[in-house]
Amino acid sequence: MASVAKVVVEISLDREFDYRIPVPLLGTIKVGSQVVVPFKSRELRGFVVGLSDHSAFGEQLKEIAGVVGEKALIPPAVMKLAYWIADYYCAPIEHAVRTVLPSAVRKRGAQHKTQLVVALNVAASLSDDAAGRDAGAASTLSAKQETIVEILRQHGSMPLSDLKERAGCSESPVRTLEKRGAVRIEESTVLRDPHAGVELIRSKPFGLMKEQQAALDLVCASMDRDKPGTVLLHGVTGSGKTEVYLQAIQHALDQGRGAIVLVPEISLTPQTVDRFRARFGDCVAVLHSSLSDGERHDEWHRIRNGEARIAIGARSALFAPVERPGLVVVDEEHEPTYKQDESPRYNARDVAVMRGHLENCCVVLGSATPSLESFHNVREGRYELVRMLQRVDDRSMPLMRVVDMRLEAEKEGRPHIFSAELVEAIYDRLDAREQVILFLNRRGFSSSLQCERCGFVAECAACSISMTYHKRAHKLLCHVCGAEEKVPERCPDCSDPAFKYAGMGTERIEEVLEKLCPKARVARMDSDTMRGKDAYRTVLDRFRTGKIDILLGTQMIAKGLDFPNVTLVGVLHADLSLHVPDFRAGERTFQLLTQVAGRAGRGEKAGEVIVQAYTPHHPAIQAAQDLDYDGFCTQDLEFRRELGYPPFSHLALLTFKGADEGLVASVADRFASLLSSVLPSSVVQSPPVPAPLARAKGLYRYQVMLRCGHTVKMTKPVRHVLSSFKVPKTVSCTVDVDALSLL
Ligand code: ADP
Ligand code: ZN
């Protein structure tokens, strides 16, 4: 039997330590067990990540001091996943281990909650001599004690705290009764249930529409195979994807297997969770960041002990200890929030596919606008594709009108925030007592310069991404190839002399809006006004109940909201997100416009979308208007193939940060030249340049971008250089594999 355990301890050291397993614990300690080990002069908690018969350190090994809990906390498949993550994303293994186990479960002191419960001892008779003796001379009960006994007669047993409240007494008379043998007080576990008191009407499966049935059939067929695969479910907003997930989960349960459902944090609303709980009841456990630590701990253990077979949550729910999952669903699979922005920088969508592979389970990726990575995987034959292009209620998709803001500026002599068309449409809806959503596309990053008149933005001729404006040096820079340009004196397109940072605030727009329609009730929703969870819900409730006419907001309002009385969606400055120095700018814009458009016309009345843009003919905007997902993909994939961008390559972004710009730049330079001497020729290395976001939180940022068809050809040399290269203490270096944000 293996007598040596490999342990990672919870401090940042990228290595394992060998410990001897003491004889009484042989067989108890497994891969994934949480243990206590002597470390230097302390005792630390750690996780067993491997077992072995021998150790290179031989006799000097220290012994494991103890094991926490009986069952290994991390199931073997999840442990394998942690190793894969550490390796693929170039992260220390203990970061990966920390990620797969929520802190509410992992940390010292994490435990089940208990309470004291009082029960009547039926056997004991109160007039008994024994009882009498203990209580002294008086064998009769005091008034308080009578009350207590009477309450317990009615209820059988009751938590001590409730009993005290009901009887209006302190603990002491209950303790006296216990001494007399009349009652017993025991400790029992209480479940911290995040849904306590919420009664749901159980929902029955819908009879499926034709397209839904075909999708379900395909998913179930995959689940029934020995080697299930990955299915991309491309379903337009309102096509009923959730119902397909629900019935596929039922199929997993029928097979005696479990399921995991991932949704982006922002759509993990009570309504979403309720749809699953209404179908499957307590079989569903929720892992949500707004649960208390105690609730999360208990929900997690309900999964671990098999009581709950379905885990639903944001990104990290992927690691829920569901045993034998038969299905993993990733809803809105294109969402960038599936990528974690700290180490390990994993993408839950991609890791989900890996978990499916390790557990022999089917993975469904769902979206109205699948990522080009996933679409490409379909074309390459790695994923199956199924489509639902009809809305369940057969309502047509809203019509989209694109307003050319250049013409508008010409007509009016100067640029305006609102076009005449949009203003007129808003007045119409207000007259008809219908509601309006105005969406300000602010995903854009104001590091590009834009001509106020014609919307011109400078692009790198070689790389097809926006040049980044560097203010201090007053020059334009491409962060892919390093090309530099002077800021033009006049707009190269229309000769206007005014270049400005692209971008305007919601606050300014709100002011203008209030002048345009003084009677309308306007609410603004962005990260400035939405401090705290309640703020978000309050505004949405007021909008839902018709107390707000116009909802103005950023990304926050783009998804998932379903308001039947909204008949107009306006998009301000649709091109802003096109001018980020990122080759995914077109894809993001297409996705955003499609998602936002999905907010209009969810009810009886038809909806309309008005999009304001300086570049109305841009393919991303045109494709969104024409509802032409395939056309957009074909064109954008062609552009990416030519330039060797993902999905035709993998991308790794190295970022160096520090307060001393000269030092950061020189570290980046030295690192880059060391790296280029060991990189294979198949890796394309960009020169070190200031990041588009050149300075954040007082730290200067420099980047080196790597691209290659095989991740490991980049990560192995990077690791190698990292291990030999001494990065000064005041400079940090992060590695982001398959980076989604290039800022
Ligand atoms: P999606 O997630 O694809 O945008 P939803 O799953 O939210 O779409 O479905 C939209 C609406 O249609 C929901 O209110 C849902 O309850 C309803 N629905 C889904 N499938 C059916 C069906 N087969 N019959 C009737 N209503 C359905
Ligand atoms: Zn370039």
Side-chain angles (χ1 to χ4, degrees):
M1 192 177 284
S3 59
V4 173
K6 302 194 171 296
V7 175
V8 293
V9 291
E10 262 201 70
I11 48 177
S12 191
L13 292 168
D14 188 6
R15 55 175 291 200
E16 303 155 359
F17 297 91
D18 289 355
Y19 284 91
R20 192 144 20 112
I21 303 177
V23 175
L25 293 181
L26 283 174
T28 306
I29 289 184
K30 301 190 187 71
V31 171
S33 291
Q34 189 171 24
V35 291
V36 178
V37 293
F39 192 86
K40 304 231 167 96
S41 56
R42 296 178 286 169
E43 282 202 333
L44 289 179
R45 282 201 178 192
F47 285 91
V48 178
V49 295
L51 296 172
S52 169
D53 294 328
H54 62 277
S55 163
F57 301 95
E59 294 304 298
Q60 305 154 27
L61 287 192
K62 291 189 193 163
E63 268 194 355
I64 287 179
V67 60
V68 187
E70 293 153 31
K71 209 167 164 184
L73 273 180
I74 307 179
V78 175
M79 187 55 100
K80 273 193 201 143
L81 208 54
Y83 265 91
W84 183 83
I85 287 174
D87 185 53
Y88 186 89
Y89 292 102
C90 249
I93 178 66
E94 75 281 352
H95 284 186
V97 168
R98 204 186 297 163
T99 296
V100 300
L101 203 59
S103 73
V105 175
R106 179 177 12 102
K107 71 179 181 199
R108 215 176 263 269
Q111 50 191 290
H112 294 282
K113 183 181 169 191
T114 56
Q115 65 179 3
L116 296 174
V117 174
V118 190
L120 208 53
N121 265 338
V122 208
S125 141
L126 287 174
S127 56
D128 209 306
D129 277 352
R133 242 183 288 120
D134 262 5
S139 66
T140 49
L141 299 177
S142 70
K144 279 269 182 290
Q145 290 167 343
E146 286 277 13
T147 316
I148 293 166
V149 169
E150 193 44 44
I151 292 171
L152 288 172
R153 276 216 180 94
Q154 281 170 24
H155 291 268
S157 68
M158 182 179 276
L160 177 59
S161 52
D162 293 0
L163 181 62
K164 285 187 336 201
E165 200 180 308
R166 282 225 179 194
C169 69
S170 69
E171 192 170 323
S172 106
V174 188
R175 288 290 173 189
T176 312
L177 282 170
E178 183 193 24
K179 276 201 206 112
R180 295 175 59 175
V183 303
R184 50 182 200 281
I185 304 180
E186 280 162 3
E187 203 168 38
S188 83
T189 314
V190 246
L191 186 68
R192 285 156 293 190
D193 179 2
H195 307 287
V198 183
E199 282 298 323
L200 283 180
I201 301 167
R202 287 299 274 263
S203 77
K204 290 215 185 66
F206 283 107
L208 294 182
M209 312 291 286
K210 227 166 136 194
E211 287 184 327
Q212 286 178 307
Q213 188 65 51
L216 180 67
D217 289 347
L218 188 100
V219 171
C220 290
S222 179
M223 291 167 76
D224 291 343
R225 280 202 293 271
D226 289 342
K227 289 252 165 262
T230 301
V231 176
L232 179 63
L233 173 54
H234 176 203
V236 299
T237 44
S239 59
K241 293 187 284 296
T242 307
E243 187 60 32
V244 174
Y245 303 152
L246 288 167
Q247 298 198 19
I249 291 170
Q250 185 61 54
H251 190 67
L253 296 181
D254 294 344
Q255 290 179 325
R257 305 186 69 168
I260 298 172
V261 180
L262 302 186
V263 294
E265 183 78 44
I266 192 155
S267 45
L268 192 55
T269 57
Q271 292 92 303
T272 309
V273 173
D274 287 352
R275 284 173 80 177
F276 288 83
R277 295 208 326 123
R279 192 66 57 84
F280 301 111
D282 290 336
C283 197
V284 177
V286 185
L287 298 170
H288 193 300
S289 65
S290 69
L291 301 187
S292 69
D293 269 6
E295 288 169 340
R296 221 171 321 160
H297 171 273
D298 289 1
E299 286 290 272
W300 192 91
H301 278 282
R302 284 204 313 121
I303 304 170
R304 185 69 184 116
N305 64 29
E307 232 172 277
R309 301 288 290 135
I310 303 162
I312 172 166
R315 191 167 57 217
S316 64
L318 173 60
F319 307 111
V322 174
E323 241 164 280
R324 293 197 348 107
L327 182 71
V328 178
V329 173
V330 184
D331 192 28
E332 310 278 2
E333 66 90 30
H334 65 279
E335 269 293 311
T337 52
Y338 281 123
K339 185 91 156 86
Q340 175 154 291
D341 58 12
E342 57 182 53
S343 172
R345 295 180 164 77
Y346 72 97
N347 188 324
R349 181 236 309 161
D350 300 334
V351 181
V353 172
M354 196 57 198
R355 179 157 190 187
H357 179 71
L358 290 172
E359 305 246 27
N360 235 350
C361 113
C362 176
V363 179
V364 173
L365 309 178
S367 174
T369 50
S371 64
L372 288 189
E373 281 80 0
S374 297
F375 189 68
H376 180 64
N377 279 327
V378 168
R379 288 199 167 171
E380 296 289 299
R382 284 190 283 267
Y383 299 170
E384 286 179 274
L385 173 68
V386 64
R387 289 195 148 135
M388 305 198 304
L389 302 177
Q390 302 292 320
R391 285 183 157 185
V392 166
D393 47 23
D394 247 353
R395 241 166 264 144
S396 52
M397 297 298 282
L399 279 183
M400 189 185 285
R401 262 195 284 166
V402 180
V403 179
D404 188 336
M405 292 305 277
R406 289 170 309 183
L407 296 180
E408 194 74 17
E410 234 161 68
K411 255 192 314 205
E412 308 280 329
R414 63 193 178 88
H416 277 285
I417 293 180
F418 292 98
S419 64
E421 265 179 279
L422 183 54
V423 172
E424 200 172 304
I426 293 175
Y427 288 160
D428 281 352
R429 304 307 143 126
L430 292 177
D431 283 347
R433 308 213 154 273
E434 293 166 7
Q435 288 171 301
V436 179
I437 289 182
L438 290 179
F439 175 74
L440 172 65
N441 189 356
R442 215 175 44 175
R443 181 157 249 140
F445 174 71
S446 62
S447 70
S448 47
L449 287 185
Q450 182 165 41
C451 170
E452 275 224 309
R453 234 175 104 86
C454 75
F456 173 87
V457 172
E459 267 193 1
C460 172
C463 306
S464 282
I465 63 167
S466 311
M467 301 285 269
T468 302
Y469 175 56
H470 287 266
K471 200 170 171 194
R472 273 179 318 144
H474 192 60
K475 66 186 181 193
L476 296 165
L477 195 68
C478 169
H479 82 133
V480 174
C481 72
E484 254 185 63
E485 261 177 41
K486 278 202 296 208
V487 178
E489 303 266 317
R490 293 176 160 276
C491 172
D493 240 28
C494 75
S495 308
D496 198 271
F499 271 98
K500 281 227 173 122
Y501 280 122
M504 54 185 159
T506 39
E507 226 177 306
R508 169 86 205 290
I509 295 172
E510 191 181 22
E511 271 173 36
V512 176
L513 194 59
E514 274 164 357
K515 284 211 189 87
L516 281 174
C517 6
K519 290 226 184 79
R521 293 159 301 173
V522 178
R524 175 157 69 96
M525 202 166 199
D526 54 28
S527 46
D528 296 336
T529 56
M530 293 297 115
R531 301 270 149 94
K533 283 225 152 49
D534 280 350
Y536 184 71
R537 220 190 20 232
T538 312
V539 172
L540 291 185
D541 281 347
R542 285 174 54 218
F543 193 53
R544 193 182 309 279
T545 50
K547 296 194 179 79
I548 294 170
D549 303 307
I550 304 177
L551 183 63
L552 165 69
T554 51
Q555 273 52 267
M556 255 181 200
I557 61 171
K559 305 179 192 94
L561 305 181
D562 196 348
F563 301 106
N565 198 37
V566 172
T567 51
L568 173 66
V569 170
V571 181
L572 308 176
H573 220 322
D575 354 40
L576 212 51
S577 54
L578 288 172
H579 306 316
V580 277
D582 183 339
F583 61 89
R584 286 191 181 88
E587 180 182 8
R588 293 266 177 273
T589 304
F590 174 77
Q591 286 167 347
L592 256 153
L593 292 180
T594 309
Q595 299 281 346
V596 175
R599 303 302 121 228
R602 306 275 286 195
E604 300 294 307
K605 290 160 244 169
E608 190 188 18
V609 183
I610 295 183
V611 172
Q612 300 189 159
Y614 281 100
T615 45
H617 301 296
H618 189 284
I621 294 177
Q622 282 298 313
Q625 181 176 20
D626 300 341
L627 307 170
D628 185 8
Y629 174 80
D630 280 28
F632 173 75
C633 288
T634 305
Q635 185 164 6
D636 214 50
L637 282 173
E638 200 37 56
F639 141 72
R640 297 215 198 159
R641 185 203 304 278
E642 270 169 31
L643 294 167
Y645 289 133
F648 298 96
S649 65
H650 284 276
L651 186 154
L653 195 62
L654 308 177
T655 306
F656 299 85
K657 283 180 245 172
D660 176 347
E661 186 175 13
L663 187 63
V664 176
S666 81
V667 169
D669 271 344
R670 274 187 293 140
F671 195 97
S673 69
L674 271 177
L675 189 59
S676 67
S677 65
V678 293
L679 281 178
S681 59
S682 55
V683 179
V684 181
Q685 181 181 356
S686 300
V689 286
L693 188 61
R695 190 161 176 240
K697 295 179 187 148
L699 301 181
Y700 290 93
R701 300 153 50 89
Y702 275 69
Q703 281 180 351
V704 173
M705 189 195 286
L706 307 175
R707 279 176 289 155
C708 179
H710 299 277
T711 309
V712 60
K713 288 191 182 160
M714 303 184 279
T715 49
K716 228 172 142 196
V718 166
R719 258 181 219 276
H720 174 75
V721 174
L722 274 177
S723 66
S724 56
F725 182 80
K726 279 259 169 295
V727 180
K729 274 212 177 64
T730 54
V731 176
S732 70
C733 170
T734 58
V735 183
D736 191 354
V737 175
D738 292 341
L740 284 185
S741 166
L742 305 183
L743 300 183

